[in-house]
């Protein structure tokens, strides 16, 4: 596929103005803003940005684009990191930020339905008086639609699961403009193919998500956060593995190495000791939280953990988790002008220590500095490289380290991406991970999007013919 020609774009712009009026832009700065994410991937702007406010408008936009063979790229909050937003074939970017209503909340059923532009923090603020919350927390204040599209995860996944477990149903506009609903509000169903799970994680390549029905959770009676320090990264990793194997129901268990905390201290003006540290959070009744903390403390002591710092008050807990959530930007800021290239492997927890040890050895042999952080309770960790995207030597070094890390993960049955998705950045690894199954993915893509108009160039290899 080639980018749409000038005549096609003029005709498309005219058709879209009839649908949206002035909620459309071809301004160069707006196009550039919508052509990149938070990562090192270069900006590839769309030709047109539109700002729909309803499912009907999106369906009309998709039909207009389909009639003219113009690609469509959904855009949420722009916080992805694998090149999901690059308009590699040009086309129309659908900025969904105007679709930001919480449509329904059922306290009794512990679920809600939202438009895709609702942000995670916005939703939890809306829910603050209901006794419920939405737990999936990728760190960035991402949009719910984007989180569903990338099958996002985050610090709470250890206890509450990822978007895969917390999306009950979707409303989606398909590539031909047809509107469908998948799933429902029941807690289980054996009716037909699970289209909801197919579309969660499809990164805009199969359709445009216009509503999301979410599972909610009760706010815990008691919450306690803590940090505990270790002399070596391996000690922290082995403590986390032991905690999982002993079935301690932690809500959060995050690893930060000394380099990560050094970057955070510089970025946030904090004073965390710059040694390998686990950030923890316990949820439950007062007695349950106390028992979880006691059991974890015993395991940490067996692996040389010391100097527990406890945070019970909300302000203290928020300070701790804000520091963790800013680790990515802190690592990038440590290199003026740098852009982030972050790894995202996830491995079986029994192989986690060996995988991280080998990764540390690889980094030690490199000329690049790279902090390590991770949701290590579920085997997912990140190496964050801050690189100059125009420096071929730095790009090649970071990509080489990432490739070796992915190979190690795949050898033990892991994955190249625990939560960031494939986008353009990890397409080359999809076939290594899934082999002939990728042919099935391509067949699904061709069946739902035969003209390859939905976010082309992402996730699966381009289908021939």
């Amino acid at each position: 596929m080639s980018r749409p020609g000038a005549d096609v774009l003029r005709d498309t712009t005219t058709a879209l103005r009839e649908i949206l009026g002035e909620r459309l832009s071809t301004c160069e700065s707006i196009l550039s803003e919508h052509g990149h994410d938070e990562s090192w991937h270069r900006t590839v702007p769309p030709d047109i940005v539109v700002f729909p406010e309803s499912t009907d408008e999106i369906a009309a936009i998709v039909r207009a684009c389909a009639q003219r063979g113009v690609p469509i790229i959904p855009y949420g909050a722009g916080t992805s990191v694998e090149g999901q937003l690059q308009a590699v074939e040009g086309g129309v970017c659908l900025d969904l930020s105007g679709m930001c209503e919480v449509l329904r909340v059922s306290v009794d059923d512990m679920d809600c339905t939202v438009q895709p532009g609702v942000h995670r923090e916005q939703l939890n603020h809306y829910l603050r008086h209901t006794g419920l919350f939405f737990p999936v927390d990728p760190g960035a204040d991402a949009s719910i639609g984007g989180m569903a599209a990338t099958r996002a995860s985050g610090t709470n996944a250890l206890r509450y699961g990822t978007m895969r477990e917390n999306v009950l149903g979707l409303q989606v506009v398909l590539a031909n403009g047809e509107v469908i609903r998948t799933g429902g509000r029941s807690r289980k169903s054996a009716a037909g193919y699970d289209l909801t799970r197919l579309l969660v994680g499809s990164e805009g390549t199969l359709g445009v998500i216009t509503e999301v029905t979410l599972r909610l959770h009760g706010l815990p009676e008691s919450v306690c956060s803590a940090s505990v320090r270790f002399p070596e990264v391996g000690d922290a990793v082995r403590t986390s593995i032991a905690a999982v194997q002993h079935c301690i129901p932690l809500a959060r268990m995050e690893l930060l190495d000394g380099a990560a905390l050094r970057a955070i201290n510089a970025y946030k003006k904090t004073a965390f000791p710059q040694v390998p540290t686990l950030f923890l959070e316990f949820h439950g009744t007062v007695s349950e939280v106390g028992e979880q903390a006691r059991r974890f403390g015993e395991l940490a002591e067996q692996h040389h953990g010391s100097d527990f710092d406890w945070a019970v008050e909300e302000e203290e807990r928020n300070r701790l988790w804000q520091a963790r959530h800013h680790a990515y930007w802190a690592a990038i800021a440590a290199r003026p002008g740098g852009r982030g290239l972050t790894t995202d492997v996830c491995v079986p927890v029994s192989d986690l220590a060996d995988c991280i040890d080998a990764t540390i050895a690889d980094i030690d042999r490199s000329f690049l500095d790279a902090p390590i952080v991770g949701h290590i309770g579920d085997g997912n960790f990140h190496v964050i490289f801050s690189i100059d995207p125009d420096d071929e030597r730095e790009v090649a070094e970071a990509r080489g380290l990432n490739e070796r890390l992915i190979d190690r993960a795949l050898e033990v049955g892991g994955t190249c991406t625990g939560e960031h998705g494939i986008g353009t950045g990890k397409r080359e690894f999809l076939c290594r991970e899934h082999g002939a199954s990728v042919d099935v993915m391509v067949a699904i893509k061709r069946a739902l999007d035969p003209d390859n108009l939905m976010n082309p160039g992402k996730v699966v290899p381009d289908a021939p013919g």
Side-chain angles (χ1 to χ4, degrees):
M1 179 188 290
S2 59
R3 295 179 75 98
D7 291 342
V8 171
L9 289 174
R10 279 194 294 269
D11 183 37
T12 303
T13 302
T14 299
L16 295 178
R17 287 197 187 281
E18 292 178 0
I19 300 167
L20 300 167
E22 295 305 310
R23 285 182 283 119
L24 175 154
S25 179
T26 56
C27 172
E28 185 174 340
S29 62
I30 299 296
L31 299 180
S32 178
E33 176 187 343
H34 287 78
H36 66 87
D37 56 21
E38 292 285 353
S39 72
W40 70 283
H41 296 284
R42 64 191 178 93
T43 299
V44 185
D47 299 297
I48 306 166
V49 177
V50 295
F51 301 89
E53 295 179 351
S54 70
T55 298
D56 288 344
E57 285 186 347
I58 291 175
I61 292 165
V62 171
R63 285 193 295 270
C65 291
Q67 290 167 6
R68 295 161 177 82
V70 175
I72 300 157
I73 308 99
Y75 182 98
T79 57
S80 57
V81 293
E82 289 295 349
Q84 281 97 340
L85 303 177
Q86 291 176 308
V88 295
E89 303 292 349
V92 174
C93 174
L94 276 73
D95 186 320
L96 302 170
S97 59
M99 296 180 64
C100 54
E101 293 185 28
V102 177
L103 301 173
R104 179 194 59 80
V105 173
S106 173
V107 174
D108 291 340
D109 293 313
M110 300 175 67
D111 67 16
C112 69
T113 301
V114 303
Q115 291 184 314
V118 170
H119 285 227
R120 177 183 61 83
E121 292 180 4
Q122 173 195 347
L123 175 58
N124 279 323
H125 182 75
Y126 188 96
L127 296 169
R128 67 193 184 282
H129 299 306
T130 66
L132 303 173
F133 80 119
F134 179 64
V136 183
D137 180 5
D141 188 20
S143 68
I144 298 297
M147 290 169 63
T150 55
R151 201 184 295 125
S153 178
T155 58
N156 276 323
L158 182 60
R159 179 157 183 162
Y160 298 101
T162 71
M163 289 300 283
R164 180 182 63 187
E165 291 78 34
N166 286 283
V167 175
L168 296 173
L170 298 168
Q171 183 179 76
V172 178
V173 177
L174 299 178
N176 62 0
E178 180 183 359
V179 180
I180 65 167
R181 289 188 178 274
T182 72
R185 294 180 56 205
S186 60
R187 291 303 166 117
K188 63 180 183 179
S189 171
Y193 301 135
D194 192 343
L195 297 181
T196 301
R197 298 297 172 270
L198 172 64
L199 290 159
V200 170
S202 61
E203 303 183 32
T205 63
L206 301 179
V208 182
I209 295 171
T210 61
E211 288 183 14
V212 188
T213 296
L214 298 167
R215 183 192 305 268
L216 302 177
H217 297 258
L219 285 166
E221 175 187 318
S222 179
V223 177
C224 180
S225 296
S227 62
V228 57
R229 297 187 280 280
F230 295 85
E232 302 290 341
V233 170
D235 296 318
V237 173
R238 282 179 275 278
T239 300
S240 71
I241 294 171
V244 172
Q245 293 174 339
H246 283 75
C247 301
I248 300 176
L250 286 93
R252 292 170 164 171
M253 182 163 53
E254 298 290 304
L255 169 70
L256 299 92
D257 72 356
L261 287 163
R262 182 166 58 251
I264 288 169
N265 285 340
Y267 185 69
K268 298 291 293 181
K269 309 304 180 188
T270 50
F272 292 104
Q274 294 168 183
V275 296
T277 302
L278 291 179
F279 283 11
L280 313 165
E281 191 159 275
F282 308 93
H283 290 182
T285 64
V286 173
S287 61
E288 288 170 342
V289 165
E291 176 63 12
Q292 292 169 34
R294 183 192 66 78
R295 292 175 62 198
F296 187 89
E298 291 175 353
L299 293 176
E301 186 176 355
Q302 293 172 19
H303 294 89
H304 314 295
S306 62
D307 299 322
F308 269 88
D309 286 334
W310 298 95
V312 178
E313 298 300 324
E314 184 176 7
E315 184 176 351
E316 295 173 338
R317 299 199 313 269
N318 288 344
R319 181 185 70 88
L320 191 73
W321 294 111
Q322 187 180 65
R324 167 60 185 92
H325 288 330
H326 286 172
Y328 177 73
W329 289 278
I332 295 169
R335 159 74 180 278
R339 299 285 294 177
L341 190 160
T342 182
T343 73
D344 182 33
V345 301
C346 187
V347 299
V349 291
S350 59
D351 294 293
L352 183 62
D354 288 344
C355 190
I356 290 182
D357 285 344
T359 301
I360 291 171
D362 223 6
I363 295 170
D364 287 344
R365 291 189 291 267
S366 171
F367 63 85
L368 292 176
D369 293 324
I372 294 177
V373 300
H375 321 303
I376 58 171
D378 54 17
N380 184 201
F381 70 97
H382 312 295
V383 182
I384 307 172
F385 299 100
S386 183
I387 61 171
D388 178 356
D390 296 322
D391 187 319
E392 294 182 3
R393 180 170 175 259
E394 289 189 7
V395 172
E397 178 74 0
R399 295 188 71 177
L401 290 166
N402 182 34
E403 182 170 3
R404 291 195 292 276
L405 173 54
I406 289 171
D407 285 341
R408 285 193 291 271
L410 297 183
E411 284 174 4
V412 297
T415 177
C416 67
T417 174
E419 57 188 3
H420 293 165
I422 295 293
T424 60
K426 289 194 168 74
R427 287 176 91 199
E428 64 182 293
F429 303 116
L430 192 66
C431 290
R432 292 192 203 180
E433 181 169 336
H434 290 297
S437 297
V438 175
D439 294 337
V440 179
M441 299 180 197
V442 171
I444 291 169
K445 168 71 169 172
R446 293 194 68 177
L448 294 181
D449 181 20
D451 296 320
N452 194 27
L453 298 180
M454 304 304 297
N455 208 7
K458 316 295 167 57
V459 187
V460 296
D462 292 331

